[in-house]
Amino acid sequence: MQGWLDDETASRLDSYELRLQINALPGSEYKGSNLAVLASNPLYQRFAEVAQQAEALGLTGSARNQYIVENSRADMGRDSNHFYRDNATAHIVGTTQMSAAEAAAYREHVANTFHSPGYTVESQTYDDGSSHVWVRHEDGSVIEFTHDLDGHRHSQNEIQADGDQTGAFYAVDGRIISLFETDGAGDNADYNTRTATYDAQGRTDWIDVRRDDGTRDTTDYDQD
Ligand SMILES: [Ca+2]
Ligand SMILES: [Ca+2]
């Protein structure tokens, strides 16, 4: 099982590094959507995080790659709603000719070992070059990302299974322009939506609260 997931993780790591190389090429049309994928796919985010740790540990070459694979294996197990975990399990159960009782125990062991919630990634690139990515988790929560033509993150929105949402809009330099919350679950009596807008210095410029009864409260701090 471990070897199976490691093989898949290593080939994903290859494609991750290829994407990084593509980004280093000047004038690639593919660059914006490629950056968007690198920034929003949970496995690639994990690679970026672990690669940094490997670098801090002074690891290079195959030792570095091995470190990344070992520390991303559990993340690979979550990918595509446990597609690789479950396929490997079925293969192992079949080829080792386990009895029904053994197979049940083995499946349980695997599910307990690689237990992080699964997810799927869906993405779309539009005619104007901007892109939209949805990471849908097994528990019903979704993280949505939008990126512009050049791959700058434009927005990020987390939608919980109960409908509550929290999100942000970003300027091209990564600065937060606004934060918003939506009480989709209807369990917060004091608001339906609330939005805070920030100026270039990060100061609160504007707060807009819409209540469940349709009334609205706005506060203008009149910043730049
Ligand atoms: Ca709520
Ligand atoms: Ca409410």
Side-chain angles (χ1 to χ4, degrees):
M1 163 62 65
Q2 194 169 298
W4 192 295
L5 281 178
D6 285 1
D7 283 352
E8 190 60 37
T9 312
S11 62
R12 294 297 187 94
L13 181 59
D14 280 348
S15 75
Y16 167 74
E17 313 240 278
L18 179 65
R19 284 175 183 277
L20 292 182
Q21 286 169 22
I22 289 169
N23 273 344
L25 298 173
S28 161
E29 270 184 35
Y30 175 59
K31 210 163 165 170
S33 60
N34 190 39
L35 275 170
V37 169
L38 284 169
S40 55
N41 184 298
L43 188 63
Y44 293 151
Q45 287 176 316
R46 180 66 183 162
F47 285 156
E49 195 183 304
V50 183
Q52 237 175 14
Q53 292 167 10
E55 195 179 320
L57 292 169
L59 298 173
T60 55
S62 62
R64 168 191 176 273
N65 288 2
Q66 196 187 333
Y67 180 87
I68 297 173
V69 167
E70 276 171 13
N71 289 284
S72 308
R73 180 188 296 140
D75 300 82
M76 189 68 235
R78 305 171 62 194
D79 192 89
S80 304
N81 277 342
H82 303 121
F83 178 83
Y84 298 94
R85 181 195 76 180
D86 294 345
N87 266 16
T89 307
H91 178 80
I92 291 160
V93 164
T95 52
T96 57
Q97 302 185 321
M98 289 182 194
S99 70
E102 286 167 340
Y106 184 69
R107 281 198 188 91
E108 196 186 330
H109 169 70
V110 169
N112 286 336
T113 307
F114 298 100
H115 53 75
S116 302
Y119 64 81
T120 58
V121 180
E122 208 181 301
S123 64
Q124 202 163 353
T125 301
Y126 302 107
D127 289 346
D128 65 1
S130 66
S131 52
H132 203 146
V133 177
W134 297 263
V135 181
R136 300 183 192 281
H137 300 97
E138 232 173 17
D139 66 1
S141 65
V142 178
I143 304 183
E144 232 182 313
F145 300 85
T146 59
H147 285 83
D148 71 9
L149 166 71
D150 299 315
H152 299 118
R153 181 173 53 174
H154 176 246
S155 70
Q156 182 169 330
N157 184 21
E158 301 199 26
I159 308 159
Q160 302 306 319
D162 64 9
D164 275 357
Q165 298 188 29
T166 49
F169 285 97
Y170 300 88
V172 285
D173 62 4
R175 175 174 69 79
I176 292 173
I177 296 173
S178 67
L179 293 174
F180 63 89
E181 281 179 287
T182 303
D183 179 30
D187 57 358
N188 295 86
D190 54 337
Y191 71 97
N192 180 33
T193 64
R194 49 185 182 199
T195 308
T197 308
Y198 301 92
D199 74 356
Q201 284 76 45
R203 297 172 300 186
T204 308
D205 188 33
W206 176 261
I207 290 179
D208 183 355
V209 179
R210 290 169 195 243
R211 296 198 198 82
D212 295 355
D213 63 6
T215 58
R216 183 177 176 186
D217 236 2
T218 55
T219 315
D220 186 358
Y221 294 89
D222 204 21
Q223 311 284 17
D224 295 336

PDB file of all heavy atoms in Angstrom, residues 183 186-192 211-212, ligand 2:
ATOM      1  N   ASP A 183     -23.924  34.049   6.672  1.00  0.00           N
ATOM      2  CA  ASP A 183     -24.518  33.085   7.604  1.00  0.00           C
ATOM      3  C   ASP A 183     -25.494  32.187   6.852  1.00  0.00           C
ATOM      4  O   ASP A 183     -26.696  32.243   7.057  1.00  0.00           O
ATOM      5  CB  ASP A 183     -25.217  33.842   8.743  1.00  0.00           C
ATOM      6  CG  ASP A 183     -25.869  32.887   9.733  1.00  0.00           C
ATOM      7  OD1 ASP A 183     -25.362  31.765   9.902  1.00  0.00           O
ATOM      8  OD2 ASP A 183     -26.892  33.281  10.336  1.00  0.00           O
ATOM      9  N   GLY A 186     -27.793  30.080   8.902  1.00  0.00           N
ATOM     10  CA  GLY A 186     -28.865  30.773   9.626  1.00  0.00           C
ATOM     11  C   GLY A 186     -28.775  30.586  11.136  1.00  0.00           C
ATOM     12  O   GLY A 186     -29.782  30.642  11.833  1.00  0.00           O
ATOM     13  N   ASP A 187     -27.570  30.371  11.657  1.00  0.00           N
ATOM     14  CA  ASP A 187     -27.423  30.147  13.097  1.00  0.00           C
ATOM     15  C   ASP A 187     -26.770  31.324  13.816  1.00  0.00           C
ATOM     16  O   ASP A 187     -26.395  31.220  14.981  1.00  0.00           O
ATOM     17  CB  ASP A 187     -26.654  28.844  13.363  1.00  0.00           C
ATOM     18  CG  ASP A 187     -25.293  28.831  12.704  1.00  0.00           C
ATOM     19  OD1 ASP A 187     -24.953  29.819  12.007  1.00  0.00           O
ATOM     20  OD2 ASP A 187     -24.559  27.845  12.876  1.00  0.00           O
ATOM     21  N   ASN A 188     -26.600  32.451  13.118  1.00  0.00           N
ATOM     22  CA  ASN A 188     -26.098  33.664  13.755  1.00  0.00           C
ATOM     23  C   ASN A 188     -27.194  34.719  13.692  1.00  0.00           C
ATOM     24  O   ASN A 188     -27.543  35.190  12.610  1.00  0.00           O
ATOM     25  CB  ASN A 188     -24.836  34.182  13.053  1.00  0.00           C
ATOM     26  CG  ASN A 188     -23.689  33.213  13.180  1.00  0.00           C
ATOM     27  OD1 ASN A 188     -23.560  32.298  12.378  1.00  0.00           O
ATOM     28  ND2 ASN A 188     -22.865  33.377  14.199  1.00  0.00           N
ATOM     29  N   ALA A 189     -27.747  35.067  14.839  1.00  0.00           N
ATOM     30  CA  ALA A 189     -28.900  35.970  14.877  1.00  0.00           C
ATOM     31  C   ALA A 189     -28.529  37.392  14.471  1.00  0.00           C
ATOM     32  O   ALA A 189     -29.374  38.147  14.003  1.00  0.00           O
ATOM     33  CB  ALA A 189     -29.497  35.967  16.276  1.00  0.00           C
ATOM     34  N   ASP A 190     -27.236  37.783  14.641  1.00  0.00           N
ATOM     35  CA  ASP A 190     -26.878  39.182  14.455  1.00  0.00           C
ATOM     36  C   ASP A 190     -26.513  39.573  13.019  1.00  0.00           C
ATOM     37  O   ASP A 190     -26.301  40.745  12.746  1.00  0.00           O
ATOM     38  CB  ASP A 190     -25.767  39.581  15.436  1.00  0.00           C
ATOM     39  CG  ASP A 190     -24.555  38.657  15.349  1.00  0.00           C
ATOM     40  OD1 ASP A 190     -24.718  37.496  14.895  1.00  0.00           O
ATOM     41  OD2 ASP A 190     -23.462  39.100  15.710  1.00  0.00           O
ATOM     42  N   TYR A 191     -26.441  38.619  12.087  1.00  0.00           N
ATOM     43  CA  TYR A 191     -26.158  39.043  10.704  1.00  0.00           C
ATOM     44  C   TYR A 191     -26.573  37.972   9.703  1.00  0.00           C
ATOM     45  O   TYR A 191     -26.681  36.791  10.028  1.00  0.00           O
ATOM     46  CB  TYR A 191     -24.670  39.362  10.514  1.00  0.00           C
ATOM     47  CG  TYR A 191     -23.761  38.147  10.534  1.00  0.00           C
ATOM     48  CD1 TYR A 191     -23.340  37.549   9.341  1.00  0.00           C
ATOM     49  CD2 TYR A 191     -23.322  37.606  11.735  1.00  0.00           C
ATOM     50  CE1 TYR A 191     -22.506  36.435   9.358  1.00  0.00           C
ATOM     51  CE2 TYR A 191     -22.497  36.488  11.754  1.00  0.00           C
ATOM     52  CZ  TYR A 191     -22.093  35.907  10.562  1.00  0.00           C
ATOM     53  OH  TYR A 191     -21.282  34.810  10.582  1.00  0.00           O
ATOM     54  N   ASN A 192     -26.779  38.433   8.474  1.00  0.00           N
ATOM     55  CA  ASN A 192     -26.930  37.524   7.350  1.00  0.00           C
ATOM     56  C   ASN A 192     -25.634  37.530   6.548  1.00  0.00           C
ATOM     57  O   ASN A 192     -25.042  36.495   6.292  1.00  0.00           O
ATOM     58  CB  ASN A 192     -28.124  37.965   6.494  1.00  0.00           C
ATOM     59  CG  ASN A 192     -28.303  37.036   5.301  1.00  0.00           C
ATOM     60  OD1 ASN A 192     -28.026  35.853   5.382  1.00  0.00           O
ATOM     61  ND2 ASN A 192     -28.731  37.598   4.185  1.00  0.00           N
ATOM     62  N   ARG A 211     -28.659  42.391   8.120  1.00  0.00           N
ATOM     63  CA  ARG A 211     -29.273  41.522   9.129  1.00  0.00           C
ATOM     64  C   ARG A 211     -30.313  40.600   8.538  1.00  0.00           C
ATOM     65  O   ARG A 211     -30.760  40.775   7.404  1.00  0.00           O
ATOM     66  CB  ARG A 211     -29.908  42.383  10.230  1.00  0.00           C
ATOM     67  CG  ARG A 211     -28.895  43.189  11.004  1.00  0.00           C
ATOM     68  CD  ARG A 211     -29.455  43.669  12.329  1.00  0.00           C
ATOM     69  NE  ARG A 211     -28.615  44.765  12.828  1.00  0.00           N
ATOM     70  CZ  ARG A 211     -28.731  46.022  12.416  1.00  0.00           C
ATOM     71  NH1 ARG A 211     -29.654  46.361  11.532  1.00  0.00           N
ATOM     72  NH2 ARG A 211     -27.921  46.940  12.900  1.00  0.00           N
ATOM     73  N   ASP A 212     -30.731  39.624   9.333  1.00  0.00           N
ATOM     74  CA  ASP A 212     -31.707  38.623   8.870  1.00  0.00           C
ATOM     75  C   ASP A 212     -33.044  39.258   8.520  1.00  0.00           C
ATOM     76  O   ASP A 212     -33.774  38.758   7.664  1.00  0.00           O
ATOM     77  CB  ASP A 212     -31.921  37.548   9.949  1.00  0.00           C
ATOM     78  CG  ASP A 212     -30.651  36.746  10.201  1.00  0.00           C
ATOM     79  OD1 ASP A 212     -29.657  36.963   9.473  1.00  0.00           O
ATOM     80  OD2 ASP A 212     -30.647  35.919  11.122  1.00  0.00           O
TER      81      ASP A 212
HETATM   82 CA    CA B   2     -28.291  35.150  10.524  1.00  0.00          CA
END
